[in-house]
Amino acid sequence: MKKRKFVTRRCTIKIQILFATIFIFSVIHFQYMSTIDHENLEKLYTIPDNLMMKHSSKGDNKRNKMIQTNNRKFDSGTTLQNHEEIDCQPRRGVVFLKTHKTGSTTMTNIFLRFAEKHKLAVGLPPLRKWELGGYPGFFNKKLVDPQLKQYEMLCHHFRMNTEVVSQIVPADTLYVTILRDPANAFESGFSFFRDGPFSSWMPNYENEDALEQFIESPKHFYNKSTPWYFRAKNYQSFDLGFNNDREDEDYIKYVRYKMDDLFNLVLITEKFEESLILLKDLLCMESLEDILHIRLKVRQNSMRRKSNDKLKRQMREWNKIDTMIYDYFLKRLNEKIQGYGIQRMTNEVEQLKKMLQEIEEKCVLEYDHDDLRSWISRIRIKKDSGEFCDKLSWGEVRFGDFIRTNQRKYLNIVVEEQIPADNMRRMLEEEQNKILNV
């Protein structure tokens, strides 16, 4: 009996010693953590005010939370697999940040068809213009037509200013953008932007080896005093509202963090069909017909510059921010594809490609060159192929002007109460002249 009490007492003492040890360790750990310089950690995600590209914290408390969409809940990082079993209503509140040379004109056609179909209030550039909100300046709500308190769709070219944009769209708006491999995007832009800046820097711009010559020593040519200079370096990051000239690691981490926090979906040009399938699911589009398209604003094959692995590597190095965010969001897209279901995605992509081939055969007569810009292919639609085919060929300017007239009816817009078209265009030009120093 005494032996049993002795054993019990020993066990009790051991347990007391164990708890005392855990308590002491916890106190030491707490004191250690208190000595960490948390301000240095925060520097990974903050930058000085004078370098802040007008981003707000609006997305910080929203983007990664569960989003309620009518009777449907979904996390911004995943896609529901039982889409067809859920009461899913088309979204009313979409911002598409349209980047350059990424296939975004084709995307804008898809978004504007979606807006027309569901009678969304679309914020537009001035009449016969493509620049929304004062582009290339940061987004200015005074340069949006019509002047409304709230818009349900923004999808023309504008430079992101999160603080301002968030004030004029619904609180649960979905944010979408598209990125392209910087080597492909840069080569495309080098040939496409014949009005500058490259032609201003290089007398031999038309030569076949001009791209190679530029990328061998880009700093020799790059001049920030030239109008549209930002087209020549990290142009995708510029459109997204960031400083395209700053490439230190902390800033790149900040850019990636802000994008991940804001955007519900980042499309990837090199995975265009998969991106469209995920977009269809996210916006609760009704069928694959909603994402049918004809590739718009495509260059003539004769205008494509020859490239190789060395040039591609150099173009990616010169566009460091674009490269880092592209590589990151390519991985994120692949994760979303995994969540969607590999086999399900494969089946729907195959079905979509089949439908795209059928629509091409039904709608397209030929690809000719543009009368004003001979380096761009112009789509000639078959006669009597129907309104749907015709609209598939509309660029953002023509479709935007069509929406402008059409939405006046269902939004009950009084034209006389709006800024006259000539005044809006003059305001845009004045804003652009300030930015471009012309």
Side-chain angles (χ1 to χ4, degrees), residues 42-48 51-56 60 63-64 97 99 138 159-160 162 177 179 234-263 266 319-329 332:
E42 288 181 2
K43 287 180 181 178
L44 294 176
Y45 304 115
T46 57
I47 56 176
L51 292 172
M52 183 76 74
M53 292 293 98
K54 296 190 177 181
H55 281 273
S56 77
D60 295 350
R63 285 303 117 205
N64 294 319
L97 197 287
T99 51
F138 286 107
R159 192 175 185 203
M160 176 57 84
T162 312
T177 190
L179 298 177
N234 293 309
Y235 196 12
Q236 295 175 78
S237 297
F238 177 88
D239 284 341
L240 290 160
F242 298 106
N243 184 341
N244 63 307
D245 279 312
R246 184 174 172 182
E247 295 184 327
D248 58 274
E249 293 301 321
D250 282 358
Y251 188 69
I252 291 175
K253 289 178 181 178
Y254 165 79
V255 170
R256 190 173 64 188
Y257 168 77
K258 294 300 290 186
M259 285 187 62
D260 214 7
D261 190 54
L262 177 66
F263 289 103
V266 177
N319 296 277
K320 185 177 179 180
I321 309 178
D322 284 1
T323 296
M324 296 297 286
I325 62 174
Y326 172 83
D327 290 345
Y328 175 76
F329 283 103
R332 294 283 284 130

Side-chain angles (χ1 to χ4, degrees), residues 195-426:
D195 57 340
F198 302 104
S199 57
S200 301
W201 299 333
M202 307 181 71
N204 61 341
Y205 169 73
E206 297 289 346
N207 292 359
E208 289 186 8
D209 63 345
L211 173 60
E212 184 175 1
Q213 182 182 350
F214 177 88
I215 211 63
E216 283 288 342
S217 54
K219 293 181 180 180
H220 173 74
F221 299 99
Y222 188 64
N223 184 346
K224 293 175 65 174
S225 66
T226 306
W228 300 100
Y229 76 92
F230 41 82
R231 288 172 169 174
K233 187 175 179 65
N234 293 309
Y235 196 12
Q236 295 175 78
S237 297
F238 177 88
D239 284 341
L240 290 160
F242 298 106
N243 184 341
N244 63 307
D245 279 312
R246 184 174 172 182
E247 295 184 327
D248 58 274
E249 293 301 321
D250 282 358
Y251 188 69
I252 291 175
K253 289 178 181 178
Y254 165 79
V255 170
R256 190 173 64 188
Y257 168 77
K258 294 300 290 186
M259 285 187 62
D260 214 7
D261 190 54
L262 177 66
F263 289 103
N264 299 89
L265 179 61
V266 177
L267 312 171
I268 297 293
T269 307
E270 284 75 14
K271 287 185 174 287
F272 200 69
E273 289 80 13
E274 293 88 345
S275 295
L276 288 177
I277 297 296
L278 292 175
L279 178 70
K280 169 183 170 293
D281 192 69
L282 181 64
L283 268 57
C284 291
M285 290 178 167
E286 295 171 355
S287 69
L288 289 176
E289 183 175 302
D290 290 326
I291 54 175
L292 291 179
H293 59 275
I294 299 173
R295 293 173 62 214
L296 301 176
K297 212 177 281 186
V298 178
R299 285 174 298 154
Q300 296 276 354
N301 289 330
S302 60
M303 300 308 300
R304 299 179 184 275
R305 306 269 180 168
K306 293 181 180 179
S307 186
N308 53 51
D309 290 342
K310 179 185 176 182
L311 277 177
K312 289 179 180 179
R313 184 179 69 254
Q314 290 173 318
M315 286 186 283
R316 285 173 64 88
E317 289 172 354
W318 173 242
N319 296 277
K320 185 177 179 180
I321 309 178
D322 284 1
T323 296
M324 296 297 286
I325 62 174
Y326 172 83
D327 290 345
Y328 175 76
F329 283 103
L330 175 60
K331 292 179 182 177
R332 294 283 284 130
L333 187 78
N334 286 330
E335 291 171 1
K336 291 177 183 288
I337 292 171
Q338 289 278 350
Y340 191 83
I342 297 296
Q343 190 56 54
R344 180 186 175 205
M345 177 63 75
T346 300
N347 293 341
E348 293 195 27
V349 166
E350 289 179 357
Q351 185 180 357
L352 175 60
K353 287 182 176 179
K354 181 180 179 182
M355 294 175 67
L356 288 172
Q357 183 177 352
E358 292 172 351
I359 206 71
E360 179 97 3
E361 294 172 354
K362 175 185 176 182
C363 298
V364 179
L365 176 63
E366 63 177 344
Y367 289 91
D368 196 359
H369 64 80
D370 189 286
D371 291 335
L372 298 178
R373 294 177 294 180
S374 59
W375 61 95
I376 301 176
S377 293
R378 179 176 61 182
I379 303 168
R380 293 190 180 277
I381 299 298
K382 291 180 178 178
K383 187 177 180 180
D384 300 326
S385 57
E387 182 184 37
F388 183 69
C389 287
D390 195 31
K391 286 183 178 178
L392 286 178
S393 70
W394 289 0
E396 69 267 37
V397 174
R398 182 176 180 183
F399 212 145
D401 288 344
F402 171 82
I403 291 284
R404 191 189 323 274
T405 301
N406 203 32
Q407 71 178 357
R408 287 172 183 166
K409 304 170 186 176
Y410 58 78
L411 296 179
N412 297 317
I413 296 173
V414 179
V415 178
E416 288 73 21
E417 296 177 357
Q418 295 295 316
I419 300 174
D422 289 343
N423 291 358
M424 179 75 78
R425 284 198 297 271
R426 186 177 65 253

